[in-house]
Amino acid sequence: MPKVGVIMGSKNDWEYMKDAINVLKEFGIEYELKVVSAHRTPDLMAEYAKTAKSKGIDVIIAGAGGAAHLPGMTASMTTLPVIGVPIPSRNLNGLDSLLSIVQMPFGIPVATVAIGGSKNAALLAIRILSLKYRDLEIKLEKYMEEMKNDVLSTKLED
């Protein structure tokens, strides 16, 4: 049963969202992956948001570009935590996406990562899941220790 729902506004977002999937796979986390557009398939988006919890999903990662309404609209229809990933856009390099996702009104929180930052979105989802699943907390601690050791073992040449 999937613990994380990963949705994106179009198949073009896959280039940026695949990093989240790779991290979830690395941690052995089951996920569900869908293209759900807030503008082109609003009924599907609403159904997804309203039924995700009943399917066992604990966290939703939503990637969107341009107007980037998918994360906020999804969050408005579920009590699950939603993590927004701003997708780089042609015109403003993703700044429009970032501002659209991060400027949510009171009562509709969306955790937001950096433009194109789906890897961090997955790691944030894992941190949220680790509150419920001790095995993920242990894997996350090991992952963080490995990152620390990578930095400490870095040798620079003079």
Side-chain angles (χ1 to χ4, degrees):
M1 184 179 310
K3 289 183 175 84
V4 178
V6 180
I7 58 177
M8 62 198 81
S10 79
K11 66 181 179 182
N12 297 330
D13 299 340
W14 174 244
E15 177 184 348
Y16 300 97
M17 296 301 289
K18 65 185 173 188
D19 289 337
I21 298 302
N22 291 335
V23 170
L24 295 173
K25 285 179 179 177
E26 182 179 343
F27 277 81
I29 296 170
E30 292 182 52
Y31 60 89
E32 177 178 85
L33 180 63
K34 290 191 178 292
V35 172
V36 179
S37 172
H39 301 111
R40 291 179 289 278
T41 60
D43 293 334
L44 176 63
M45 180 210 59
E47 178 187 345
Y48 184 85
K50 291 176 181 179
T51 62
K53 193 176 208 174
S54 68
K55 293 189 285 185
I57 291 173
D58 292 317
V59 181
I60 297 172
I61 299 172
H69 289 127
L70 182 62
M73 290 303 297
T74 299
S76 76
M77 298 181 187
T78 184
T79 58
L80 293 174
V82 176
I83 303 167
V85 179
I87 302 295
S89 57
R90 278 178 252 141
N91 298 328
L92 297 172
N93 298 319
L95 186 58
D96 50 344
S97 309
L98 173 65
L99 294 174
S100 181
I101 296 171
V102 80
Q103 292 292 342
M104 291 305 301
F106 171 78
I108 313 295
V110 175
T112 309
V113 296
I115 297 168
S118 73
K119 192 179 278 191
N120 265 350
L123 289 168
L124 180 55
I126 293 165
R127 286 178 180 226
I128 293 167
L129 292 170
S130 74
L131 297 169
K132 184 175 179 181
Y133 303 102
R134 174 74 175 129
D135 61 318
L136 290 178
E137 182 181 16
I138 292 166
K139 287 180 182 179
L140 189 57
E141 288 170 350
K142 182 180 176 200
Y143 181 86
M144 292 173 70
E145 185 69 21
E146 289 171 1
M147 285 193 314
K148 179 184 90 174
N149 289 338
D150 283 347
V151 171
L152 294 175
S153 67
T154 301
K155 301 286 187 230
L156 299 176
E157 295 182 29
D158 293 340

